[in-house]
């Protein structure tokens, strides 16, 4: 992960391995992964410095933008988060001139900033529940000189009623029933697009998406059309399990 090496929690020869890694020219610091239930914040996964430079701040670069994150405060998969870099590039290419874009579960601002920088959108709003990640997002917006076009706020991800209408909503949400997403339909402008992400097995992916009936119910009088469906990323995220993205056009 950039110039900070992160060892697994069960890594054998921990400190010895850390010293070996520091001999690599690209490694300045070594940390160990700590699962939820241990570490400084037992409520979440994290990392703990074990050798080298105690500063665990890293810089991640994508499509000409730079994103900073202090791993001692929050751990993120960065390039693999939010569907991965290929999905972010696809989203940028879909945005039409003048669109308002809402990114839910925006993390440290990667997707929101990339859409703001590489699409003809009018503006992008990122919503992140975690205030620490939101602070990093705001800093990354400023770092990439996107103030005025991209914003990030911290609140419940489904609390969107007072944010206005959006032409496109990217919903990077933890798995939950489709019925919970009804507030997003109200926030979507006519003929807007909802980018929805789900977990499916290989067999489920080969079949018709079972969530379409649920979306039809929460959309009420508004028709819903599936315009795209694909694995993001293409490789599995667990044995026989894929993250599947769906583009839904809501009339």
């Amino acid at each position: 992960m950039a110039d900070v090496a992160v060892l697994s929690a069960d890594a054998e020869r921990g400190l010895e391995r850390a010293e070996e890694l520091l001999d690599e020219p690209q490694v300045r610091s070594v940390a160990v992964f700590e699962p939820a239930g241990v570490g400084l914040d037992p409520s979440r996964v994290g990392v703990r410095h074990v050798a080298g430079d105690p500063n665990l701040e890293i810089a991640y670069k994508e499509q000409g933008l730079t994103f900073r994150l202090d791993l001692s405060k929050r751990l993120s998969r960065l390039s693999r988060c939010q569907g991965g870099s290929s999905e972010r590039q696809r989203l940028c290419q879909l945005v039409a001139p003048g669109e308002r874009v809402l990114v839910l579960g925006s993390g440290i601002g990667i997707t929101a900033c990339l859409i703001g920088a590489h699409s003809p959108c009018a503006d992008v709003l990122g919503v992140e529940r975690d205030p620490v990640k939101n602070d990093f997002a705001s800093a990354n917006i400023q770092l990439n000189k996107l103030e005025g076009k991209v914003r990030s706020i911290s609140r419940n991800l489904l609390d969107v009623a007072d944010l206005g209408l959006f032409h496109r909503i990217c919903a990077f949400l933890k798995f939950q029933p489709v019925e919970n997403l009804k507030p997003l339909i109200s926030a979507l402008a006519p003929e807007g697009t909802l980018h929805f992400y789900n977990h499916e097995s290989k067999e489920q992916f080969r079949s018709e998406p079972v969530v379409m009936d649920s979306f039809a119910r929460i959309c009420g009088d508004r028709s819903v059309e599936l315009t795209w469906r694909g694995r993001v990323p293409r490789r599995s995220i667990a044995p026989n399990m894929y993250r599947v993205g769906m583009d839904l056009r809501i009339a």
Side-chain angles (χ1 to χ4, degrees):
M1 187 174 282
D3 53 357
V4 177
V6 179
L7 298 173
S8 62
D10 58 351
E12 298 181 1
R13 303 186 301 116
L15 189 57
E16 180 183 348
R17 177 62 178 143
E19 295 298 335
E20 292 174 356
L21 286 169
L22 287 175
D23 289 335
E24 300 291 334
Q26 72 274 21
V27 176
R28 65 171 174 83
S29 182
V30 181
V32 63
F33 173 79
E34 293 186 322
V38 300
L40 294 176
D41 187 347
S43 66
R44 64 177 67 248
V45 299
V47 296
R48 173 174 50 86
H49 169 263
V50 292
D53 187 350
N55 179 8
L56 298 184
E57 183 176 300
I58 64 170
Y60 168 73
K61 296 185 178 182
E62 183 173 323
Q63 295 188 52
L65 302 186
T66 299
F67 302 93
R68 296 194 181 279
L69 174 66
D70 187 342
L71 296 178
S72 67
K73 296 180 179 179
R74 285 296 181 269
L75 180 63
S76 174
R77 293 175 297 171
L78 297 176
S79 64
R80 292 183 291 171
C81 71
Q82 300 173 353
S85 57
S86 296
E87 175 65 0
R88 288 190 284 273
Q89 187 173 23
R90 186 184 77 89
L91 292 174
C92 289
Q93 294 170 347
L94 291 174
V95 176
E99 284 191 355
R100 294 195 71 218
V101 181
L102 177 64
V103 181
L104 301 175
S106 55
I108 67 169
I110 296 179
T111 299
C113 285
L114 287 169
I115 291 176
H118 296 297
S119 82
C121 67
D123 64 275
V124 186
L125 176 62
V127 179
E128 172 53 48
R129 184 175 60 181
D130 186 331
V132 176
K133 288 183 179 179
N134 183 65
D135 287 345
F136 281 116
S138 296
N140 285 324
I141 291 168
Q142 185 175 10
L143 175 65
N144 290 290
K145 297 179 172 56
L146 291 168
E147 309 100 310
K149 191 171 186 181
V150 182
R151 292 190 300 128
S152 184
I153 61 175
S154 181
R155 61 163 66 181
N156 185 298
L157 300 185
L158 296 178
D159 184 10
V160 298
D162 62 338
L163 300 179
L165 291 179
F166 296 86
H167 303 93
R168 190 174 302 273
I169 298 178
C170 306
F172 299 111
L173 307 173
K174 290 184 177 180
F175 177 77
Q176 56 189 295
V178 169
E179 287 72 18
N180 291 357
L181 307 184
K182 190 171 183 178
L184 306 187
I185 306 303
S186 300
L188 201 59
E191 301 300 327
T193 297
L194 172 64
H195 299 284
F196 170 75
Y197 300 87
N198 198 12
H199 290 169
E200 297 181 7
S201 67
K202 183 182 296 185
E203 293 73 25
Q204 289 171 324
F205 181 70
R206 289 173 175 171
S207 306
E208 291 296 318
V210 296
V211 297
M212 293 306 297
D213 288 342
S214 297
F215 272 110
R217 285 194 294 272
I218 67 172
C219 288
D221 294 335
R222 300 176 67 177
S223 63
V224 54
E225 177 189 4
L226 177 66
T227 60
W228 180 87
R229 182 176 178 228
R231 296 181 302 194
V232 289
R234 291 192 59 80
R235 63 185 180 278
S236 63
I237 59 174
N240 194 33
M241 187 60 61
Y242 296 87
R243 180 181 292 108
V244 175
M246 286 176 272
D247 296 354
L248 304 169
R249 181 177 292 118
I250 314 296

